[in-house]
Amino acid sequence: MDTVDGFILTRHWRDMPSGTVVDFWLATDQGAKLMRRSDVVSVSFAPAKYQSDVEAVTSTMPDVSVKHLNLLDFSGRPILGIYSKHFRQQEIIEKALKARGVPVYEADIRPPDRYLMERFLTASVTVQIKHPADDILLNCKVVPNDTYRPDLKVVSLAIEADEAGALRLISLYSPGVSTVISLEASDELHGFDLPRLSEDFEVIQVGDHAEMIRELNHWFRKNDPDAIVGWNLIQVELRVLQIYADRHNVPLKLGRDGSLIDWRANAAKEGSYFATVTGRVVVAGGEAVKTALTSFMSATLDDVVEALLPGVTRTEHPHKRSSGEPEPYTIERMAQLARYSMMNSLMVFRIFDEAKLLRFMMDRASVTGLQVDHFRGSIAAFDHQYLPRMHREGFVAPNVGDVAIAPYPGGHVLESTPGLYDSVIVLDYKSLYASIIRTFLVDPVGMAAVNANTDEAQIIAGINGTRFSRT
């Protein structure tokens, strides 16, 4: 049987009449591949003591089954598994059971995440292909592959506006296919070879913003990059493009399957968004640098260029010497903006290359199990690694709030003596938390496994009455 190594770029799910369908877009040495699962079953858990309530809620629901499992909750109660062909059914079941006072566990884990974690898959995989000629790898066997890292085809995207903030052009830097999509200039300049404004990129003029969005869609269909990068890609470039697309009623179809951008508001920061583009990694350079290189926690693009690209100087923005009023969009003006924007795109591209940011993100995703372009989610990463192992130890995860939160003492802080000193020694116990965890065997399952029948010799006493099993 043939196999193909792949790296998961994005993951998606949807409920269809036949059941839940999960899609994984893979980067491979043979190009992008769509791996699809149409056999996914969703599951949640509830204490077996509430079996009558569970059956009352699920008995009339199609394609839902309930089974006794050899699992316990953190209170030591036997567990039922509630299985459904559609993930949305789990939401209905959870809501109905909570109304009856029945606790439901792990009902919020999305189908792609559940599929990956229960098979100990993270990002790099090997797929056993049933029919090599098929466009879609359907229900193939998948096994972990910790080492595979593909070379991603990257485009660096930037936009430029006039002095009044109106969008004028889009620059796309990608080796061999770099392009500027610009509104038409207001004049003609004889002898000016517009398509070859530069030997390094092509210029495409369009009549209006609607045509600009269509041309951008066409560029993505034609050149099919694996990753989109930009300094403020999500909060600025893509948001502005989405606003113009909506304003002119033209769909912004950057997805590998021609789909729209999936926007989600950031609940933790008003006016901030997350964006997912089907089949393509979407990375804001500023965020990536702060995540991978801690020395740039508050750095600007100029700071990073100076540090990582010695000898490279950003050119002055064409608006710097203007009066502040919009100037006529002449060919000369367009050329200035195009060169400036393409230089910015190129510098971001080079920063990613020099700092190996995408390789860092791929390595991290291969450890955490999170999507490669997701920067936050330490709890989700812990869940991805821990929950399947917890299940194999015989437990299901509690809900937030099920385990009482109590204050615990921190490290001892010595009183300081203010003053200026010629020599200062910094002693930082960088592995303090890891040492505490290993010394006391701090572990959720280790705490849940302790009960009245546990041999005291097999228990380690922790702080504030906590007790952890040695086994």
Side-chain angles (χ1 to χ4, degrees), residues 128-154:
Q128 295 183 1
I129 303 176
K130 299 177 181 178
H131 307 289
D134 289 350
D135 293 331
I136 298 176
L137 309 180
L138 180 63
N139 297 336
C140 298
K141 183 177 180 179
V142 187
V143 296
N145 180 336
D146 295 332
T147 60
Y148 179 68
R149 302 291 186 274
D151 292 326
L152 300 183
K153 183 179 179 181
V154 182

Side-chain angles (χ1 to χ4, degrees), residues 45-64:
F45 307 98
K49 65 177 289 187
Y50 298 105
Q51 183 171 353
S52 59
D53 291 288
V54 173
E55 291 176 345
V57 168
T58 62
S59 60
T60 59
M61 299 181 71
D63 301 316
V64 175

Side-chain angles (χ1 to χ4, degrees), residues 211-231:
E211 190 179 349
M212 179 182 286
I213 298 299
R214 294 190 191 98
E215 192 64 44
L216 180 65
N217 292 340
H218 174 72
W219 190 96
F220 271 85
R221 287 195 304 272
K222 178 181 178 182
N223 296 290
D224 198 26
D226 299 307
I228 313 171
V229 303
W231 193 249

